[in-house]
Amino acid sequence: QAKYLAQIIVMGVQVVGRAFARALRQEFAASRAAADARGRAGHRSAAASNLSGLSLQEAQQILNVSKLSPEEVQKNYEHLFKVNDKSVGGSFYLQSKVVRAKERLDEELKIQAQEDREKGQKPHT
């Protein structure tokens, strides 16, 4: 009876181990695909996300911006900042989220501008 119990435990551990290994491989593949999609700017963008505490996607959602354009970011920022002002019954917490989102998007716009300058300086072969 102990022999059967040991076999059941060993089989269970093997099944769980294979499932864990498969999940880990899938996670690595997904992570690699995401890094490839971000391209070279991924490192700078990730650093900006760490500094601001917001990812690029979160910042875009907060300011309701689908594509990064300085005019749209500024327009939505001003509107949301005014709407969430405490003097008009708004929320200081939401207003601070709006400010952080604008800071994050401004940083991303700076990164993109720097990349554009670097591309323009490289010699064409």
Side-chain angles (χ1 to χ4, degrees), residues 18-125:
R18 281 189 214 116
F20 180 74
R22 190 176 319 123
L24 200 57
R25 280 193 300 271
Q26 288 174 349
E27 184 59 34
F28 283 146
S31 176
R32 198 173 311 121
D36 291 343
R38 283 192 303 264
R40 289 186 301 117
H43 298 295
R44 293 178 188 159
S45 187
S49 292
N50 285 340
L51 287 174
S52 68
L54 286 176
S55 71
L56 177 60
Q57 291 79 17
E58 288 173 316
Q60 286 178 311
Q61 286 177 347
I62 290 170
L63 288 183
N64 193 26
V65 175
S66 57
K67 65 177 186 145
L68 285 180
S69 76
E71 298 80 21
E72 187 178 2
V73 168
Q74 185 64 33
K75 184 183 89 169
N76 289 3
Y77 165 75
E78 289 173 358
H79 171 73
L80 290 170
F81 190 84
K82 288 176 188 172
V83 167
N84 288 299
D85 192 9
K86 276 193 86 139
S87 64
V88 294
S91 164
F92 178 73
Y93 173 76
L94 292 177
Q95 194 177 42
S96 68
K97 281 291 204 183
V98 168
V99 171
R100 298 292 166 247
K102 174 144 184 346
E103 289 173 349
R104 175 64 182 92
L105 293 178
D106 286 345
E107 187 65 30
E108 192 67 26
L109 287 167
K110 258 194 266 183
I111 290 169
Q112 286 182 356
Q114 184 178 10
E115 282 183 354
D116 291 344
R117 282 193 305 272
E118 288 173 1
K119 285 180 185 175
Q121 292 176 352
K122 290 185 181 177
H124 297 287
T125 56

